[in-house]
Amino acid sequence: MEKITGAEAMMRALENEGVDILFGYPGGAIMPTYDALYDHKETLHHVLVRHEQGAVHAAQGYARVSGKVGCAIVTSGPGATNTVTGIADAMADSTPLVVICGQVGVAMLGTDAFQEVDVVGVTSPASKWSYQIRRAEDVAWAVSRAFYIAKSGRPGPVVLDFAKNAQTGMVDYQPAKVDFIRSYDPYPQLNMDNIKQAAKMINDSVKPFALIGQGVEIGGARKEVEAFLEKAQIPFGSTLLGLSALPTEHPLNMGMLGMHGNLGPNVMTNQCDLLIAIGMRFDDRVTGKLSTYAKQAKVIHFDIDAAEFNKNVHVDLAVHGDCKESIPAVTELLDEAKHDSWISGFKPYAEKEFNKVIDKAINPKDGPLLMGEVVRKVSEASNNEAVLVTDVGQNQMFGCRYFKYTKPRSVITSGGIGTMGFGLPAAIGATFGAPDRTVCMFCGDGGLQMTIQEFGTIMEQGAPVKIILLNNNFLGNVRQWQAMFFNHRYSFTPMANPDYELIAKAYNIPAKTVVERKDLDKAIAEMLSTPGPYLLQCAIKEVDNVLPMTPPGADVDNMLLEI
């Protein structure tokens, strides 16, 4: 054994977990660890962000597109508290992260020392595990345990609060391997009676409908779920985070669920006789009014997290397990089935939505540019193979609705807590997690300004983010709600904006602004063919609305097609 500092032990423990990239920002309490990092620059690439929130969002983007654990490192006090939004976001969206925060020495804890914050107390409610490393001897164990917890079962963020004395103290280093924790059962054993009961319920169903969530993506179960759906000819809809779990053009894909989803899957949710939820949590934006949600149907819920069963929607059968294991087990027991008549019932709703909403959104004949047309043109110009990253708001809903998906892990958006400012740093992380793919980030003028400092990270790293700014000089989503529910009283939603093109160019990011529709195709082609980053600003109709829409608190099938 070799005697080394706790900070050096941290570097070696991270390398032992396969980490090759860190997103971070140095400071006083984490400085010994950054000093150790100086000798590991060849194996641990450090991305210097411009704000600690950006570090966590970038780690999220990296994790979501790669399937690996994202890693962020920051200092104590404000450095640590600046990560809380990203940690909470990762917890809501089941994103595996390890966030390492500096902390004052153990002798100073509780004295209100400079930049001392109770990081464990602050982050415990928003993380899967939060732990304070007080001794150098505990570094290897804590890191291995952190990565095991973050990536196993239902993934999530883990926080390591790294006391300064633990960084500078000496330890006889030995690598650790944690792969078991008493009372923590991330991969429950399948109950075969439940598997048989699920198969019987599906075989007996005349009008089955499946809801595909991000759990299918996380579990790497695309092929298994596809085989399951095709064998029993079950139509499906996808949650926001589950959109790329299966291809957009799959013949059984009926579209997106939820408040701004497609008409057909929302209406047919309240007409099916069997609802099959796979790796999703029955979020309120999906269910609408719970008292009227799918009351005519029996419900089967497949999930790895037992806490989701009966949390919002009463289920008739809960199948607890990893969907990569549970779904094939059910598939083996399924009868070959045809539900052509049931599936054909979705068609009139799809046609109605296309004529009233979609065609107008992606094929406008005149007037200002629309968000939907820009999104669809970018998607098609990238052969529908790009990674879609969005910020939050109208850009998010238009982006997710009108982008098309052929490859898995192609949707990176803040679903659970809806974090404005998420998009830009998450897209930076995605370029590192999938360096062979095009990363297209759609944002509004409001969200971009929340983390616009990360232009500096793009400049320094040369991160090839294709930024599509849908600029309508409004906080668009709030404006839409004000128009619909607050009598058009636009209280502090109009925005005075800077010259984004000039700002981008100051950071050596090529930029172009498009106002006329005739210039859009050429500008998109230029953006996609330009090596490295690019900002394409599109002047968008100010009062463009996201439709269809289920009003808050309304029945899921009560969708507005016009306002």
Side-chain angles (χ1 to χ4, degrees), residues 473-494:
N473 296 305
F474 262 105
L475 297 176
N477 211 44
V478 183
R479 181 211 56 76
Q480 179 171 334
W481 281 52
Q482 287 173 336
M484 295 177 67
F485 309 118
F486 293 89
N487 198 31
H488 296 271
R489 289 161 57 88
Y490 298 140
S491 181
F492 301 101
T493 47

Side-chain angles (χ1 to χ4, degrees), residues 126-278:
S127 63
K128 201 173 173 187
W129 183 52
S130 189
Y131 179 76
Q132 188 174 77
I133 304 176
R134 295 186 168 204
R135 308 183 309 158
E137 294 95 318
D138 296 332
V139 170
W141 167 84
V143 170
S144 182
R145 181 182 171 103
F147 275 80
Y148 174 64
I149 291 173
K151 66 188 176 184
S152 60
R154 180 177 181 173
V158 169
V159 178
L160 293 177
D161 190 34
F162 199 9
K164 199 165 187 179
N165 64 285
Q167 299 175 52
T168 58
M170 304 301 289
V171 60
D172 292 323
Y173 176 74
Q174 274 189 314
K177 182 63 176 177
V178 175
D179 56 11
F180 172 79
I181 299 172
R182 190 175 60 185
S183 79
Y184 174 57
D185 186 17
Y187 301 108
Q189 186 174 356
L190 287 182
N191 181 323
M192 294 311 296
D193 288 338
N194 285 351
I195 295 295
K196 292 173 184 176
Q197 187 178 345
K200 184 179 187 308
M201 291 172 69
I202 296 168
N203 286 335
D204 291 345
S205 173
V206 177
K207 298 187 291 185
F209 185 45
L211 313 181
I212 305 300
Q214 191 192 195
V216 174
E217 198 100 271
I218 293 170
R222 170 181 275 209
K223 290 181 180 178
E224 290 80 1
V225 171
E226 208 165 18
F228 164 81
L229 296 169
E230 289 173 355
K231 185 174 183 180
Q233 202 189 23
I234 302 170
F236 69 91
S238 301
T239 66
L240 185 73
L241 298 186
L243 282 171
S244 67
L246 294 168
T248 301
E249 300 299 336
H250 193 288
L252 293 172
N253 192 344
M254 301 300 142
M256 188 170 88
L257 302 162
M259 176 178 280
H260 289 298
N262 295 107
L263 180 63
N266 281 306
V267 170
M268 299 303 253
T269 293
N270 278 0
Q271 294 184 22
C272 66
D273 63 5
L274 179 65
L275 202 61
I276 307 161
I278 307 175

Side-chain angles (χ1 to χ4, degrees), residues 342-364:
W342 162 239
I343 291 171
S344 67
F346 286 82
K347 188 175 180 180
Y349 296 107
E351 291 174 346
K352 183 177 181 180
E353 182 183 353
F354 182 83
N355 292 330
K356 284 187 169 289
V357 177
I358 296 174
D359 190 38
K360 296 175 183 178
I362 64 175
N363 298 311

Side-chain angles (χ1 to χ4, degrees), residues 1 11 20 63 70 77 93 143 147 177 203 210 215 275 279 316 328 335 366 402 447 489 534 541:
M1 291 187 292
M11 297 300 101
D20 56 10
D93 289 349
V143 170
F147 275 80
K177 182 63 176 177
N203 286 335
L275 202 61
D316 297 277
D335 299 333
D366 50 31
Y402 294 116
R489 289 161 57 88
Y534 195 99
K541 181 180 178 181

Side-chain angles (χ1 to χ4, degrees), residues 371-452:
M371 293 189 190
E373 69 173 313
V374 175
V375 171
R376 180 57 59 87
K377 282 182 177 292
V378 172
S379 179
E380 291 175 346
S382 63
N383 200 31
N384 302 320
E385 293 180 346
V387 175
L388 169 73
V389 183
T390 80
D391 205 80
V392 167
Q394 287 185 320
N395 66 88
Q396 178 185 36
M397 293 297 104
F398 277 111
C400 291
R401 275 181 58 86
Y402 294 116
F403 218 73
K404 291 187 175 182
Y405 315 99
T406 55
K407 296 183 176 181
R409 295 191 175 273
S410 293
V411 178
I412 301 174
T413 191
S414 173
I417 71 169
T419 303
M420 286 182 68
F422 170 89
L424 188 63
I428 293 170
T431 65
F432 288 97
D436 57 333
R437 298 185 65 185
T438 300
V439 175
C440 295
M441 194 280 290
F442 291 87
C443 60
D445 39 306
L448 179 61
Q449 290 189 79
M450 287 195 170
T451 50
I452 198 169

Side-chain angles (χ1 to χ4, degrees), residues 35 71 112 127 199 283 359 372 417 423 468 541:
D35 186 64
C71 198
D112 292 331
S127 63
D283 173 72
D359 190 38
I417 71 169
I468 302 95
K541 181 180 178 181

